[in-house]
Amino acid sequence: MSDTTRPGEFELIARYFAPIAGAGGLGLVDDAGLLKPARGYETVVTTDALVAGEHFFADDPAASIARKALAVNLSDLAAKGAKPEGFVLSLALPHGWTEAWLADFAQGLARIAGEGACPLIGGDTVSTPGPLILSITAFGSVPAGRMVPRSGAKPGDVILVSGTIGDGALGLQAHGPGKLAWVARLSEEHRHFLADRYLHPQPRLALATALQVHASAAMDVSDGLVGDLAKLLKASKAGAEIDLDMVPLSAAARAAIMADPALAELAWTGGDDYEILCTASEREYLSLIVAAEAAGVALVAIGRVTDEGAVNYREKGRARSFAQGSFAHF
Amino acid sequence: MSDTTRPGEFELIARYFAPIAGAGGLGLVDDAGLLKPARGYETVVTTDALVAGEHFFADDPAASIARKALAVNLSDLAAKGAKPEGFVLSLALPHGWTEAWLADFAQGLARIAGEGACPLIGGDTVSTPGPLILSITAFGSVPAGRMVPRSGAKPGDVILVSGTIGDGALGLQAHGPGKLAWVARLSEEHRHFLADRYLHPQPRLALATALQVHASAAMDVSDGLVGDLAKLLKASKAGAEIDLDMVPLSAAARAAIMADPALAELAWTGGDDYEILCTASEREYLSLIVAAEAAGVALVAIGRVTDEGAVNYREKGRARSFAQGSFAHF
């Protein structure tokens, strides 16, 4: 810092981060923040780290990077049926960061924190010779004993997903450098839609209460539907029958698959959807769909939980298998 | 990962981290952990990130790195008067990590987690082309409204510190490459003592209850006594009179200062002590000292809070000022 006129850590916190802080952040001048769950509630804790060049492009807009870093954590809270209560940010800034970048970052963070009603309650900022790394730990509240686990799926339960699947992985290709042939063939509107879905995931917070009341198991789809379903079923010690034709696709994703049919596999297995994958009993799943619709989110049934170990996928009536289960950032 | 035979993220978690997990970690197979504060308690949240080459040496023993990463967070909890309840770990592993390194890291983490009764409840592991970065968010419980703030120091309060000051900064020089003249003049025992204090900070968890009951303000000394005292007083909108001759020094630190008197300033301003700096009212401070002693930790009075803006330091009866207030990692 000595060779520049950039402000020090404490000025940066006061200028850019204190305005995002909630009461539990204690003005970001203490060593700690406070969580005060209401009586009868528990705190759900989730952590996600994002690395520049791996989970986003280093030259993505700073506001978009901030948005994504918090959104992927809010997505986890939503999947657990939890109401956001706050988050802490650990920010490893690469050498050469500018105050303009940080101002843009803080503005994006403030916006998603406001949308999610999830104030900053603490954090740490360090400097790294490596790429930008953001690690967020987010907190949500659920009535005691009501967190929606990964492990609650029972044979006979209906398997559902929210929104549309595949936009994130297709959007990564539409947004990234080195445009592919199919991207060039897409309309500007569809290209933009997919890139925006990759850049600005929408955490399904509106679903949290419906999931908490009606779902037997849930997780967010961050590493691809096929791989994440395998994780949910493994945790639940169950299998599934999935009808791939029921997996909801956006108009843009359908156009992309029309341009290149091989992209269907990418849509099913690629990451970055941040939709909700969940299960509900035969008795509850219609109520879940209705409650989700009332919250403004479409939930679609794509299959059933079975007591077999395997997941059997069918597409147009024929069995289908996947070589690569899931996208792993690690 | 594709070019090696290293296990995947899920196997690593199961093998090395699941054994450190507490009940709130839900076996580390869910997307989230759970905190269940007892009725009438609140959750104190603290975050500290450590970067290889900045906060520790990349070739320090992996177990020592793990220990330090959690210890510095436990130190914050202790300063807030909180009892540890759990932590989440965000681990950005540099390319070229080995399973042996990770096994050693997990063993060190398990040990400090056990000592602090602070189980792992979640985390995320990512890969980075940059240096190793560890970010830990730790959780502690305090009776509602009883977190010890930075901002509670009142004029007339006594200022105290725990243990001994300066060992961390001196230990960095004793431990690091490029041995200085004074280090060579130290006994092997003193060199080892100081290096160990730098490598293996001892969080003052035993002080938490005494602080919670008797202290008006507290923080841990991580960036140097002089700079951290300035922060505490700024948060408390107060000043202080400090008698530097009262600042407790270890025998090793005294030997170092004997070898090179200029090191006294390093002891007072250098970082990495992880001792507790606190204030207590005239009425409470003796009870605080007695309670700390009962907990096995020495607390020594080094000055008084004043209502002036400034901190007046005296050494051997003469005023003393510091050019550089505090060591900043950022």
Side-chain angles (χ1 to χ4, degrees):
Chain A
M1 297 285 296
S2 53
D3 59 336
T4 76
T5 56
R6 292 184 303 199
E9 183 176 10
F10 299 96
E11 288 158 77
L12 288 177
I13 291 169
R15 198 174 300 169
Y16 297 111
F17 294 113
I20 314 172
L26 310 172
L28 304 186
V29 296
D30 213 303
D31 311 79
L34 265 181
L35 288 170
K36 307 180 182 190
R39 185 179 294 187
Y41 281 74
E42 296 173 341
T43 303
V44 175
V45 181
T46 182
T47 301
D48 266 310
L50 280 74
V51 182
E54 184 76 27
H55 302 84
F56 57 88
F57 295 95
D59 59 358
D60 280 344
S64 299
I65 294 169
R67 179 176 189 87
K68 185 162 191 170
L70 182 52
V72 303
N73 280 282
L74 293 176
S75 177
D76 279 319
L77 293 181
K80 302 291 102 182
K83 177 178 164 289
E85 297 288 350
F87 72 102
V88 295
L89 166 67
S90 173
L91 185 60
L93 284 171
H95 297 166
W97 63 273
T98 64
E99 198 179 343
W101 186 93
L102 200 71
D104 187 26
F105 178 88
Q107 177 262 317
L109 194 65
R111 190 174 149 191
I112 177 79
E115 286 171 18
C118 192
L120 184 65
I121 66 165
D124 195 15
T125 308
V126 293
S127 175
T128 172
L132 172 68
I133 301 185
L134 304 111
S135 177
I136 284 181
T137 302
F139 311 102
S141 57
V142 285
R146 298 306 304 262
M147 187 188 96
V148 185
R150 268 194 196 178
S151 56
K154 296 275 182 304
D157 284 1
V158 176
I159 300 170
L160 308 100
V161 290
S162 67
T164 56
I165 292 296
D167 300 328
L170 295 167
L172 167 59
Q173 295 195 356
H175 168 66
K179 295 281 181 280
L180 301 162
W182 73 264
V183 176
R185 266 181 276 156
L186 229 53
S187 73
E188 181 57 34
E189 186 194 345
H190 284 160
R191 257 204 309 272
H192 179 267
F193 173 86
L194 293 174
D196 187 65
R197 286 274 286 161
Y198 169 76
L199 264 179
H200 302 124
Q202 303 289 331
R204 297 297 188 186
L205 291 170
L207 278 186
T209 303
L211 292 169
Q212 186 243 297
V213 174
H214 300 292
S216 54
M219 67 185 293
D220 71 334
V221 184
S222 54
D223 294 338
L225 176 63
V226 168
D228 285 340
L229 176 62
K231 290 176 208 163
L232 185 146
L233 292 168
K234 190 177 177 200
S236 297
K237 299 185 174 67
E241 301 277 353
I242 300 291
D243 182 351
L244 289 167
D245 301 316
M246 295 303 293
V247 173
L249 299 174
S250 66
R254 284 197 305 271
I257 292 167
M258 200 96 80
D260 180 354
L263 292 172
E265 175 149 343
L266 179 65
W268 296 323
T269 60
D272 282 310
D273 284 318
Y274 301 103
E275 294 292 352
I276 301 292
L277 171 67
C278 60
T279 62
S281 69
E282 181 69 36
R283 208 173 56 126
E284 293 288 337
Y285 87 97
L286 285 175
S287 307
L288 175 56
I289 290 173
V290 169
E293 193 161 299
V297 182
L299 265 188
V300 173
I302 62 167
R304 289 268 181 185
V305 181
T306 64
D307 54 9
E308 289 171 49
V311 189
N312 296 313
Y313 289 96
R314 296 193 77 78
E315 183 196 5
K316 301 192 179 71
R318 304 218 317 242
R320 162 111 202 196
S321 65
F322 294 96
Q324 195 199 339
S326 165
F327 180 73
H329 280 299
F330 181 72
Chain B
M1 298 289 292
S2 52
D3 58 335
T4 76
T5 55
R6 293 185 302 200
E9 183 176 11
F10 299 94
E11 288 158 79
L12 289 177
I13 290 170
R15 198 174 301 170
Y16 297 112
F17 294 112
I20 314 172
L26 310 173
L28 304 185
V29 296
D30 213 303
D31 311 79
L34 265 182
L35 287 170
K36 307 181 181 188
R39 185 179 293 188
Y41 281 74
E42 295 173 342
T43 303
V44 174
V45 181
T46 183
T47 301
D48 266 311
L50 279 75
V51 182
E54 183 78 27
H55 302 84
F56 58 87
F57 295 95
D59 59 359
D60 280 343
S64 299
I65 294 169
R67 180 175 187 87
K68 184 163 192 171
L70 183 53
V72 304
N73 280 283
L74 294 177
S75 177
D76 279 320
L77 292 181
K80 302 292 101 184
K83 177 177 163 290
E85 297 289 351
F87 73 102
V88 295
L89 166 68
S90 173
L91 184 61
L93 283 172
H95 297 165
W97 63 273
T98 64
E99 197 178 345
W101 186 93
L102 200 71
D104 188 25
F105 178 88
Q107 177 262 317
L109 194 64
R111 189 173 149 192
I112 176 77
E115 286 171 18
C118 191
L120 184 65
I121 66 164
D124 195 14
T125 308
V126 293
S127 176
T128 173
L132 173 68
I133 300 185
L134 302 112
S135 177
I136 284 182
T137 302
F139 311 102
S141 57
V142 286
R146 298 305 305 261
M147 186 189 95
V148 185
R150 269 194 197 179
S151 57
K154 297 274 181 303
D157 283 1
V158 176
I159 300 170
L160 308 100
V161 290
S162 68
T164 56
I165 291 296
D167 300 329
L170 294 167
L172 168 57
Q173 294 195 356
H175 167 66
K179 294 281 182 279
L180 300 162
W182 73 264
V183 176
R185 267 180 274 155
L186 230 52
S187 73
E188 180 57 31
E189 187 193 345
H190 284 160
R191 255 204 311 273
H192 180 266
F193 173 86
L194 293 173
D196 187 65
R197 286 276 286 163
Y198 169 77
L199 263 180
H200 302 124
Q202 303 289 332
R204 297 298 188 185
L205 290 169
L207 279 186
T209 303
L211 292 169
Q212 186 243 296
V213 174
H214 301 290
S216 54
M219 67 186 293
D220 72 334
V221 184
S222 54
D223 294 339
L225 176 63
V226 167
D228 285 340
L229 177 61
K231 289 175 208 163
L232 185 145
L233 293 168
K234 190 178 176 198
S236 296
K237 300 185 175 65
E241 301 277 354
I242 300 290
D243 182 351
L244 289 168
D245 301 315
M246 296 302 294
V247 173
L249 298 174
S250 65
R254 284 197 305 270
I257 292 168
M258 199 96 81
D260 179 353
L263 291 173
E265 175 149 343
L266 179 64
W268 297 323
T269 62
D272 282 311
D273 284 317
Y274 300 102
E275 294 292 352
I276 301 292
L277 170 67
C278 60
T279 62
S281 69
E282 181 69 38
R283 208 174 54 128
E284 292 289 338
Y285 87 96
L286 285 174
S287 307
L288 176 56
I289 290 173
V290 169
E293 194 160 299
V297 182
L299 265 187
V300 172
I302 61 167
R304 289 267 181 185
V305 180
T306 64
D307 55 9
E308 289 171 48
V311 188
N312 296 314
Y313 287 97
R314 297 192 77 79
E315 184 197 5
K316 302 192 179 71
R318 306 224 312 246
R320 161 110 201 199
S321 65
F322 295 96
Q324 195 199 340
S326 163
F327 180 73
H329 280 299
F330 180 70

